[in-house]
Amino acid sequence: MRKYINTLLFILLLTFYGNAQNVIESSLQEVMNQRNEEMISINIVLKSQMKPAELRDIATRHSDRDVKKEVIIETLKQHSNKEQSDVLSILNAEKRNNSVIDINSHWLVNSINCKATREVIYMLAQHPDIAMIEYNDSKKVVSDIKGERVTSAETLAKHVSKVNADKVWKMGYTGKGVVVAVLDTGTNFDHADINSDNLWDGGSEYPYNGYNVINPTMRPYDDNSHGSHCAGIICGTGAGGTATGIAPGATLMTVKVADDTGWTTMEYMTEGIEFAIENGADVMSISIGWQDPTVEESTIFRHIFDNTLELGVLSSIAAGNDKDEIYFYPVPQNINAPGNCPPAWIHPDQEVNAGGVSGVISVGAVNDSDGEADFSSKGPVTWQDTEWADYP
């Protein structure tokens, strides 16, 4: 009898750890193997995600864009509240046992971020509602290469004329009335080209012209320069002597998601994107990215940007400047995440290999001759290892 009991226990243990391995991301497992009592920051992604078609069906019932967006946000929140309830009750119980801290729930992707012990993570991996548990690791998403100062004697920066922005201005389109959220290292609000009249006004709740995800009590000020460089390209006024902004009339919402050294986490990114969406961003500019993204990281971003498309918010996202490393990071890691998400529209000729659409416009770089810049990452990428498998 003892022999049979031991065999049964062995089988149960194999099943337990086998299931855990299917849910726990490999890099998280490595961290768990190295840490005993230390809390580990994790992202828990639930199986139940709203399907784009479901959101699209809801959207068709409303003609007003703002009402449509509000209804879809509320739908996503209700879905997450319902589907997360059981997992949250477990986490809150473990919080009382000092095994879990810093619980944050998300609605744009049905997920929960928290810090938990190794034992709790193994327990969560057995929950039938959880699709995956990912390590909320810090990632370098901003290059150490600084942007060059515009020294042109011309009144118009070269990149502005290259895309014919000045001709569009003459047609009456300057970006006026459009809120652009720049998710980056922040903005240098003291720069001459940053017009205070063009800064997003968050009222008494958000008095700092945006939001600092890393330190919510502080203004999202740029202590790196990358975010200011991007903000200037978008809506620089030219007060410094050269017109640098493509859309100088746009309203700038600054969302600081990366620190002074260019590092961030999936939790910061998710929170930053949710903030921008909830507070009226029409467009998001994200010139940062995960190099060599894991399937889990790409999956989280894919859920996010599938939903932003249905919310009517497009994102201009950098493909990356890592072409020289394609040898080391072949398809599908040849474009940084979330720039590796599909476009918002697919040409009919491509539909045979289409893995669906998302709210991403992935942007590469050109040289002075309008050719492909030698450093710019480029596609195509595939989603073979995910539920969106686009190639047979």
Side-chain angles (χ1 to χ4, degrees):
M1 179 63 73
R2 179 177 294 177
K3 176 181 177 182
Y4 291 119
I5 292 174
N6 287 339
T7 301
L8 180 60
L9 286 172
F10 180 69
I11 292 171
L12 288 172
L13 282 171
L14 282 178
T15 303
F16 177 88
Y17 285 107
N19 290 340
Q21 291 303 316
N22 291 332
V23 174
I24 297 172
E25 177 204 27
S26 58
S27 61
L28 173 58
Q29 185 62 64
E30 291 175 11
V31 173
M32 291 166 63
N33 292 340
Q34 297 166 6
R35 301 183 188 178
N36 293 322
E37 304 300 325
E38 187 179 349
M39 294 275 191
I40 302 170
S41 183
I42 57 173
N43 296 307
I44 305 164
V45 180
L46 282 86
K47 290 179 181 177
S48 180
Q49 302 286 334
M50 290 287 299
K51 300 297 182 186
E54 296 175 301
L55 296 175
R56 209 167 299 134
D57 180 60
I58 294 169
T60 57
R61 304 172 200 168
H62 305 277
S63 57
D64 184 271
R65 179 178 180 270
D66 292 334
V67 172
K68 186 185 301 184
K69 185 176 179 181
E70 187 178 328
V71 169
I72 292 177
I73 288 174
E74 186 57 33
T75 300
L76 287 167
K77 286 184 175 181
Q78 289 178 2
H79 176 81
S80 294
N81 287 339
K82 177 185 175 184
E83 299 300 329
Q84 293 176 14
S85 60
D86 191 55
V87 175
L88 284 172
S89 66
I90 294 171
L91 291 174
N92 284 314
E94 292 300 330
K95 184 177 180 180
R96 292 189 289 272
N97 295 331
N98 298 315
S99 298
V100 171
I101 59 173
D102 300 338
I103 303 170
N104 295 307
S105 178
H106 293 291
W107 55 268
L108 192 52
V109 54
N110 187 12
S111 67
I112 304 165
N113 171 267
C114 67
K115 293 184 178 73
T117 62
R118 185 171 61 176
E119 290 72 21
V120 170
I121 296 172
Y122 275 127
M123 178 180 65
L124 291 170
Q126 302 305 308
H127 198 288
D129 295 341
I130 294 175
M132 67 182 188
I133 306 175
E134 187 230 14
Y135 180 38
N136 187 49
D137 194 10
S138 260
K139 293 292 181 79
K140 180 81 167 177
V141 294
V142 177
S143 170
D144 290 328
I145 300 173
K146 302 296 182 182
E148 295 182 11
R149 182 181 296 275
V150 174
T151 57
S152 172
E154 303 294 327
T155 57
L156 201 64
K158 188 183 296 184
H159 63 265
V160 175
S161 57
K162 182 174 282 290
V163 298
N164 296 316
D166 52 325
K167 294 179 182 178
V168 177
W169 299 341
K170 292 175 182 177
M171 297 168 63
Y173 301 104
T174 64
K176 188 174 178 60
V178 177
V179 178
V180 180
V182 178
L183 285 80
D184 213 290
T185 60
T187 297
N188 176 7
F189 297 104
D190 299 322
H191 196 285
D193 281 340
I194 302 298
N195 189 332
S196 60
D197 293 337
N198 286 17
L199 296 179
W200 177 74
D201 184 0
S204 58
E205 187 175 6
Y206 300 109
Y208 302 129
N209 308 117
Y211 187 59
N212 187 334
V213 177
I214 297 170
N215 188 343
T217 63
M218 301 289 288
R219 196 178 191 192
Y221 201 86
D222 189 9
D223 40 18
N224 176 279
S225 81
H226 187 269
S228 299
H229 175 71
C230 297
I233 290 174
I234 294 166
C235 56
T237 63
T242 302
T244 58
I246 299 295
T251 298
L252 171 66
M253 175 194 288
T254 298
V255 184
K256 183 177 175 67
V257 294
D259 65 17
D260 61 336
T261 58
W263 290 72
T264 189
T265 66
M266 183 65 73
E267 164 66 4
Y268 287 154
M269 285 294 296
T270 304
E271 186 177 345
I273 294 169
E274 286 183 337
F275 175 88
I277 295 290
E278 278 198 275
N279 288 281
D282 299 300
V283 178
M284 290 188 289
S285 172
I286 306 176
S287 289
I288 59 180
W290 268 239
Q291 191 182 76
D292 191 23
T294 64
V295 169
E296 291 82 5
E297 289 166 342
S298 292
T299 297
I300 292 173
F301 279 130
R302 181 64 187 270
H303 283 306
I304 288 174
F305 290 102
D306 276 2
N307 290 339
T308 60
L309 177 63
E310 303 309 322
L311 284 159
V313 180
L314 292 179
S315 299
S316 174
I317 301 180
N321 301 327
D322 310 309
K323 183 179 177 181
D324 59 338
E325 297 185 24
I326 287 179
Y327 174 77
F328 301 103
Y329 301 115
V331 174
Q333 281 80 23
N334 51 323
I335 289 185
N336 292 349
N340 62 344
C341 290
W345 179 80
I346 296 176
H347 192 280
D349 290 348
Q350 296 176 288
E351 286 186 0
V352 66
N353 286 330
V357 293
S358 79
V360 169
I361 299 173
S362 189
V363 181
V366 297
N367 55 31
D368 288 339
S369 304
D370 288 339
E372 176 189 318
D374 58 7
F375 57 82
S376 182
S377 300
K378 67 174 185 177
V381 294
T382 78
W383 288 78
Q384 288 177 239
D385 298 328
T386 70
E387 64 189 84
W388 297 274
D390 56 349
Y391 288 85

